[in-house]
Amino acid sequence: MTDDELLARADEAAARAYAPYSGFRVGAALLARDGRVVGGVNVENAAYPLGTCAESGALAAAVTAGYRPGDLQAVAITASPCGGCRQRLHEFRVERVVYRRGDGSVVTLTPAELLPDTFAL
Ligand code: THU
């Protein structure tokens, strides 16, 4: 699967996001080393802070499916990942992070480039 195809999967997921408050639908598609794709969307809540990011949902689904740090080769996201999700992607050692900026350009960076000097225990 190419990065473009993975981003297309993230776009498909974004259409299923639950974002009635912000109206900002986000989709994420994780590509595991075994070739499987796991999706996630943002899920908002009337109690605003309870809302969760698309990357967070995708990672939770991947962990539920049995994947662990090091098992994920790439993630495509329809928006620039927030600070917290950068830390999450770093934890799982996702190799490549492909995302679409607000201006429509698509960039590929590593978690370390996205979050230098990352917190670790
Ligand atoms: N959002 C994500 O899903 N991922 C990010 O990395 C950035 C922000 C969502 C959260 C919220 O539902 C909406 O975008 C607007 O902030």
Side-chain angles (χ1 to χ4, degrees):
M1 152 137 346
T2 66
D3 287 352
D4 279 353
E5 288 167 341
L6 194 62
L7 190 54
R9 297 287 287 270
D11 281 324
E12 284 168 26
R16 297 189 293 274
Y18 178 72
Y21 304 105
S22 72
F24 191 77
R25 294 166 185 260
V26 183
L30 279 165
L31 177 63
R33 292 199 188 285
D34 62 11
R36 191 169 155 197
V37 176
V38 180
V41 297
N42 54 330
V43 181
E44 297 185 347
N45 192 282
Y48 294 172
L50 296 180
T52 50
C53 286
E55 303 90 317
S56 192
L59 281 169
V63 171
T64 304
Y67 297 107
R68 291 291 180 269
D71 293 341
L72 305 166
Q73 53 174 302
V75 62
I77 315 160
T78 61
S80 175
C82 77
C85 285
R86 292 174 189 220
Q87 176 77 30
R88 290 189 177 95
L89 296 170
H90 189 276
E91 173 81 18
F92 281 83
R93 303 199 297 273
V94 179
E95 233 170 65
R96 297 192 308 288
V97 185
V98 182
Y99 64 91
R100 190 182 296 115
R101 291 189 173 119
D103 66 4
S105 59
V106 176
V107 286
T108 304
L109 294 169
T110 66
E113 288 168 330
L114 285 166
L115 193 64
D117 208 10
T118 313
F119 173 78
L121 282 175

